[in-house]
Amino acid sequence: MPDPQRASTISAAGLSRRFGNHLAVNDITLELKRGEVLGLLGPNGAGKTTTMQMLTGNLAPSSGSISICGIDLLDQPVAAKTHIGYLPEVPPLYRELTVDEYLTLAAKLHRMPRARRIADVTTAKQRCGLADTGRKLIGTLSKGYQQRVGIAQAIVHQPDVIILDEPTIGLDPNQIREIRALIRELGGSHSVILSTHILPEVEAVCDRVQILHHGNLVYGDTIAALKQMHSGSTVLVGLRRAPPLAELAAAPGVASAESVEPTLFRVQFSGDADACDALVRRAADANWGLYRLQPAQTSLEDVFVNLTRREDSQ
């Protein structure tokens, strides 16, 4: 866990954004400290990209406030943006430039002093695994290496906050592992916000998670706390004389049931504290031959589905 005494690098309160009558983001509050990697998680259309565009100053919020390293982004956008590095979902690359030419251009756009440019471009290439690609045209690189170049331009000016929108989308498994390792390394000395709809990505690299659904924040805490909150609500049930699945799902306190093996079922309770006892009594009364009852390991996918399903029902 990051030190709670560390200063916040990014703080946003009451962020909302409307497009006509459509409320894309509704009253989002977010805070990030140095050394944290925050996963902004949600299905496509949840409002992740809109939120990131507001946090980087590329889109004005309809309401709310944003502070970057203590600087108001809306009142002092130029000063605040010097502390931000941003990789959009589509990296802003110039394919006809070499890696060195492109990163030097990015350094100039960030108004870095001439005396620092060569050293900082070299450092960004080393951190992103691009040390041997400086003279290569960006258009000749693989998609994975182009993504690395995109991240390098986001960190070339050594920002306090790095914001990455879907950084591994479209990459092969080996490239994904390499980019995730790079993000973990960046999280050691920067604050990182990672937007994704890929659940394993969040578990692999993030310290905390905020889940968006239909523009609303439905959860925000550590991944461990998220899993702990939902532990015990799902159990594995072994029945030697199993009833039809519909009958099991209709048992008192059961929200859903699915077959794992012919005599093994994953049962999710509705939240009733006595649901497990009720299921045991029902199994005994119906002579189902209960032989196994244990908590099922809760995955982030299970939790995500439960939270978003609950939001839809409301």
Side-chain angles (χ1 to χ4, degrees), residues 4-24:
Q5 300 302 315
R6 290 180 182 176
S8 295
T9 53
I10 185 167
S11 179
L15 281 188
S16 296
R17 175 69 196 196
R18 285 188 176 275
F19 296 97
N21 294 325
H22 174 60
L23 184 60

PDB file of all heavy atoms in Angstrom, residues 4-24:
ATOM      1  N   PRO A   4       0.094   6.685   3.153  1.00  0.00           N
ATOM      2  CA  PRO A   4      -1.025   7.620   3.122  1.00  0.00           C
ATOM      3  C   PRO A   4      -0.602   9.064   3.337  1.00  0.00           C
ATOM      4  O   PRO A   4      -1.373   9.986   3.088  1.00  0.00           O
ATOM      5  CB  PRO A   4      -1.924   7.118   4.267  1.00  0.00           C
ATOM      6  CG  PRO A   4      -1.024   6.340   5.162  1.00  0.00           C
ATOM      7  CD  PRO A   4       0.009   5.743   4.275  1.00  0.00           C
ATOM      8  N   GLN A   5       0.629   9.270   3.848  1.00  0.00           N
ATOM      9  CA  GLN A   5       1.101  10.633   4.073  1.00  0.00           C
ATOM     10  C   GLN A   5       1.665  11.273   2.808  1.00  0.00           C
ATOM     11  O   GLN A   5       1.995  12.455   2.815  1.00  0.00           O
ATOM     12  CB  GLN A   5       2.180  10.612   5.171  1.00  0.00           C
ATOM     13  CG  GLN A   5       1.690  10.062   6.510  1.00  0.00           C
ATOM     14  CD  GLN A   5       0.505  10.846   7.058  1.00  0.00           C
ATOM     15  OE1 GLN A   5       0.508  12.059   7.035  1.00  0.00           O
ATOM     16  NE2 GLN A   5      -0.505  10.131   7.538  1.00  0.00           N
ATOM     17  N   ARG A   6       1.844  10.527   1.735  1.00  0.00           N
ATOM     18  CA  ARG A   6       2.374  11.103   0.506  1.00  0.00           C
ATOM     19  C   ARG A   6       1.393  12.128  -0.049  1.00  0.00           C
ATOM     20  O   ARG A   6       0.186  11.948  -0.006  1.00  0.00           O
ATOM     21  CB  ARG A   6       2.619  10.015  -0.531  1.00  0.00           C
ATOM     22  CG  ARG A   6       3.784   9.093  -0.182  1.00  0.00           C
ATOM     23  CD  ARG A   6       3.958   8.052  -1.268  1.00  0.00           C
ATOM     24  NE  ARG A   6       5.040   7.127  -0.949  1.00  0.00           N
ATOM     25  CZ  ARG A   6       5.355   6.079  -1.693  1.00  0.00           C
ATOM     26  NH1 ARG A   6       4.675   5.829  -2.795  1.00  0.00           N
ATOM     27  NH2 ARG A   6       6.337   5.279  -1.339  1.00  0.00           N
ATOM     28  N   ALA A   7       1.953  13.177  -0.613  1.00  0.00           N
ATOM     29  CA  ALA A   7       1.115  14.239  -1.161  1.00  0.00           C
ATOM     30  C   ALA A   7       0.358  13.736  -2.380  1.00  0.00           C
ATOM     31  O   ALA A   7       0.861  12.923  -3.156  1.00  0.00           O
ATOM     32  CB  ALA A   7       1.979  15.441  -1.519  1.00  0.00           C
ATOM     33  N   SER A   8      -0.842  14.245  -2.546  1.00  0.00           N
ATOM     34  CA  SER A   8      -1.634  13.906  -3.720  1.00  0.00           C
ATOM     35  C   SER A   8      -1.041  14.578  -4.950  1.00  0.00           C
ATOM     36  O   SER A   8      -0.637  15.740  -4.904  1.00  0.00           O
ATOM     37  CB  SER A   8      -3.082  14.355  -3.536  1.00  0.00           C
ATOM     38  OG  SER A   8      -3.707  13.656  -2.490  1.00  0.00           O
ATOM     39  N   THR A   9      -0.982  13.852  -6.045  1.00  0.00           N
ATOM     40  CA  THR A   9      -0.530  14.431  -7.304  1.00  0.00           C
ATOM     41  C   THR A   9      -1.709  14.838  -8.180  1.00  0.00           C
ATOM     42  O   THR A   9      -1.584  15.728  -9.019  1.00  0.00           O
ATOM     43  CB  THR A   9       0.350  13.433  -8.076  1.00  0.00           C
ATOM     44  OG1 THR A   9      -0.370  12.200  -8.209  1.00  0.00           O
ATOM     45  CG2 THR A   9       1.659  13.180  -7.339  1.00  0.00           C
ATOM     46  N   ILE A  10      -2.826  14.171  -7.994  1.00  0.00           N
ATOM     47  CA  ILE A  10      -4.014  14.515  -8.779  1.00  0.00           C
ATOM     48  C   ILE A  10      -5.243  14.365  -7.887  1.00  0.00           C
ATOM     49  O   ILE A  10      -5.376  13.396  -7.144  1.00  0.00           O
ATOM     50  CB  ILE A  10      -4.127  13.634 -10.047  1.00  0.00           C
ATOM     51  CG1 ILE A  10      -5.297  14.077 -10.921  1.00  0.00           C
ATOM     52  CG2 ILE A  10      -4.246  12.173  -9.706  1.00  0.00           C
ATOM     53  CD1 ILE A  10      -5.263  13.464 -12.315  1.00  0.00           C
ATOM     54  N   SER A  11      -6.100  15.365  -7.952  1.00  0.00           N
ATOM     55  CA  SER A  11      -7.313  15.357  -7.140  1.00  0.00           C
ATOM     56  C   SER A  11      -8.449  15.939  -7.965  1.00  0.00           C
ATOM     57  O   SER A  11      -8.332  17.042  -8.511  1.00  0.00           O
ATOM     58  CB  SER A  11      -7.105  16.177  -5.864  1.00  0.00           C
ATOM     59  OG  SER A  11      -8.283  16.185  -5.080  1.00  0.00           O
ATOM     60  N   ALA A  12      -9.516  15.195  -8.085  1.00  0.00           N
ATOM     61  CA  ALA A  12     -10.680  15.643  -8.853  1.00  0.00           C
ATOM     62  C   ALA A  12     -11.927  15.437  -7.998  1.00  0.00           C
ATOM     63  O   ALA A  12     -12.060  14.425  -7.317  1.00  0.00           O
ATOM     64  CB  ALA A  12     -10.806  14.864 -10.157  1.00  0.00           C
ATOM     65  N   ALA A  13     -12.826  16.411  -8.038  1.00  0.00           N
ATOM     66  CA  ALA A  13     -14.040  16.335  -7.221  1.00  0.00           C
ATOM     67  C   ALA A  13     -15.251  16.745  -8.049  1.00  0.00           C
ATOM     68  O   ALA A  13     -15.232  17.771  -8.746  1.00  0.00           O
ATOM     69  CB  ALA A  13     -13.906  17.239  -5.997  1.00  0.00           C
ATOM     70  N   GLY A  14     -16.298  15.939  -7.967  1.00  0.00           N
ATOM     71  CA  GLY A  14     -17.569  16.272  -8.597  1.00  0.00           C
ATOM     72  C   GLY A  14     -17.522  16.407 -10.100  1.00  0.00           C
ATOM     73  O   GLY A  14     -18.273  17.205 -10.684  1.00  0.00           O
ATOM     74  N   LEU A  15     -16.661  15.620 -10.772  1.00  0.00           N
ATOM     75  CA  LEU A  15     -16.531  15.735 -12.231  1.00  0.00           C
ATOM     76  C   LEU A  15     -17.771  15.186 -12.939  1.00  0.00           C
ATOM     77  O   LEU A  15     -18.172  14.037 -12.718  1.00  0.00           O
ATOM     78  CB  LEU A  15     -15.308  14.970 -12.723  1.00  0.00           C
ATOM     79  CG  LEU A  15     -13.930  15.597 -12.589  1.00  0.00           C
ATOM     80  CD1 LEU A  15     -12.917  14.746 -13.332  1.00  0.00           C
ATOM     81  CD2 LEU A  15     -13.922  17.011 -13.102  1.00  0.00           C
ATOM     82  N   SER A  16     -18.334  15.999 -13.805  1.00  0.00           N
ATOM     83  CA  SER A  16     -19.452  15.567 -14.635  1.00  0.00           C
ATOM     84  C   SER A  16     -19.254  16.123 -16.041  1.00  0.00           C
ATOM     85  O   SER A  16     -18.640  17.184 -16.223  1.00  0.00           O
ATOM     86  CB  SER A  16     -20.793  16.061 -14.080  1.00  0.00           C
ATOM     87  OG  SER A  16     -21.064  15.487 -12.814  1.00  0.00           O
ATOM     88  N   ARG A  17     -19.767  15.412 -17.014  1.00  0.00           N
ATOM     89  CA  ARG A  17     -19.685  15.878 -18.400  1.00  0.00           C
ATOM     90  C   ARG A  17     -20.931  15.452 -19.157  1.00  0.00           C
ATOM     91  O   ARG A  17     -21.302  14.272 -19.176  1.00  0.00           O
ATOM     92  CB  ARG A  17     -18.445  15.315 -19.093  1.00  0.00           C
ATOM     93  CG  ARG A  17     -18.372  15.660 -20.573  1.00  0.00           C
ATOM     94  CD  ARG A  17     -18.133  17.132 -20.840  1.00  0.00           C
ATOM     95  NE  ARG A  17     -18.447  17.479 -22.228  1.00  0.00           N
ATOM     96  CZ  ARG A  17     -18.045  18.595 -22.822  1.00  0.00           C
ATOM     97  NH1 ARG A  17     -17.333  19.481 -22.159  1.00  0.00           N
ATOM     98  NH2 ARG A  17     -18.372  18.829 -24.067  1.00  0.00           N
ATOM     99  N   ARG A  18     -21.559  16.450 -19.759  1.00  0.00           N
ATOM    100  CA  ARG A  18     -22.737  16.207 -20.588  1.00  0.00           C
ATOM    101  C   ARG A  18     -22.414  16.446 -22.054  1.00  0.00           C
ATOM    102  O   ARG A  18     -21.651  17.347 -22.389  1.00  0.00           O
ATOM    103  CB  ARG A  18     -23.887  17.136 -20.183  1.00  0.00           C
ATOM    104  CG  ARG A  18     -24.583  16.755 -18.899  1.00  0.00           C
ATOM    105  CD  ARG A  18     -25.826  17.611 -18.673  1.00  0.00           C
ATOM    106  NE  ARG A  18     -26.549  17.188 -17.492  1.00  0.00           N
ATOM    107  CZ  ARG A  18     -27.445  16.198 -17.473  1.00  0.00           C
ATOM    108  NH1 ARG A  18     -27.738  15.566 -18.604  1.00  0.00           N
ATOM    109  NH2 ARG A  18     -28.046  15.855 -16.354  1.00  0.00           N
ATOM    110  N   PHE A  19     -22.991  15.634 -22.921  1.00  0.00           N
ATOM    111  CA  PHE A  19     -22.981  15.862 -24.358  1.00  0.00           C
ATOM    112  C   PHE A  19     -24.439  15.980 -24.773  1.00  0.00           C
ATOM    113  O   PHE A  19     -25.125  14.972 -24.963  1.00  0.00           O
ATOM    114  CB  PHE A  19     -22.296  14.716 -25.097  1.00  0.00           C
ATOM    115  CG  PHE A  19     -20.832  14.571 -24.774  1.00  0.00           C
ATOM    116  CD1 PHE A  19     -20.401  13.663 -23.819  1.00  0.00           C
ATOM    117  CD2 PHE A  19     -19.879  15.348 -25.429  1.00  0.00           C
ATOM    118  CE1 PHE A  19     -19.052  13.525 -23.521  1.00  0.00           C
ATOM    119  CE2 PHE A  19     -18.534  15.221 -25.139  1.00  0.00           C
ATOM    120  CZ  PHE A  19     -18.118  14.308 -24.186  1.00  0.00           C
ATOM    121  N   GLY A  20     -24.931  17.224 -24.855  1.00  0.00           N
ATOM    122  CA  GLY A  20     -26.354  17.420 -25.093  1.00  0.00           C
ATOM    123  C   GLY A  20     -27.146  16.911 -23.900  1.00  0.00           C
ATOM    124  O   GLY A  20     -26.907  17.310 -22.761  1.00  0.00           O
ATOM    125  N   ASN A  21     -28.068  16.006 -24.160  1.00  0.00           N
ATOM    126  CA  ASN A  21     -28.878  15.427 -23.079  1.00  0.00           C
ATOM    127  C   ASN A  21     -28.249  14.188 -22.459  1.00  0.00           C
ATOM    128  O   ASN A  21     -28.792  13.639 -21.505  1.00  0.00           O
ATOM    129  CB  ASN A  21     -30.280  15.069 -23.607  1.00  0.00           C
ATOM    130  CG  ASN A  21     -31.076  16.296 -24.008  1.00  0.00           C
ATOM    131  OD1 ASN A  21     -30.953  17.349 -23.376  1.00  0.00           O
ATOM    132  ND2 ASN A  21     -31.889  16.164 -25.057  1.00  0.00           N
ATOM    133  N   HIS A  22     -27.112  13.764 -23.015  1.00  0.00           N
ATOM    134  CA  HIS A  22     -26.466  12.548 -22.521  1.00  0.00           C
ATOM    135  C   HIS A  22     -25.459  12.878 -21.424  1.00  0.00           C
ATOM    136  O   HIS A  22     -24.539  13.665 -21.636  1.00  0.00           O
ATOM    137  CB  HIS A  22     -25.763  11.821 -23.663  1.00  0.00           C
ATOM    138  CG  HIS A  22     -24.960  10.630 -23.222  1.00  0.00           C
ATOM    139  ND1 HIS A  22     -25.519   9.555 -22.568  1.00  0.00           N
ATOM    140  CD2 HIS A  22     -23.625  10.358 -23.327  1.00  0.00           C
ATOM    141  CE1 HIS A  22     -24.581   8.675 -22.299  1.00  0.00           C
ATOM    142  NE2 HIS A  22     -23.429   9.146 -22.743  1.00  0.00           N
ATOM    143  N   LEU A  23     -25.635  12.296 -20.253  1.00  0.00           N
ATOM    144  CA  LEU A  23     -24.710  12.474 -19.137  1.00  0.00           C
ATOM    145  C   LEU A  23     -23.667  11.366 -19.213  1.00  0.00           C
ATOM    146  O   LEU A  23     -23.896  10.238 -18.794  1.00  0.00           O
ATOM    147  CB  LEU A  23     -25.457  12.420 -17.803  1.00  0.00           C
ATOM    148  CG  LEU A  23     -24.634  12.679 -16.538  1.00  0.00           C
ATOM    149  CD1 LEU A  23     -24.005  14.070 -16.575  1.00  0.00           C
ATOM    150  CD2 LEU A  23     -25.501  12.527 -15.294  1.00  0.00           C
ATOM    151  N   ALA A  24     -22.490  11.686 -19.763  1.00  0.00           N
ATOM    152  CA  ALA A  24     -21.455  10.675 -19.994  1.00  0.00           C
ATOM    153  C   ALA A  24     -20.699  10.330 -18.722  1.00  0.00           C
ATOM    154  O   ALA A  24     -20.287   9.180 -18.528  1.00  0.00           O
ATOM    155  CB  ALA A  24     -20.473  11.167 -21.060  1.00  0.00           C
TER     156      ALA A  24
END
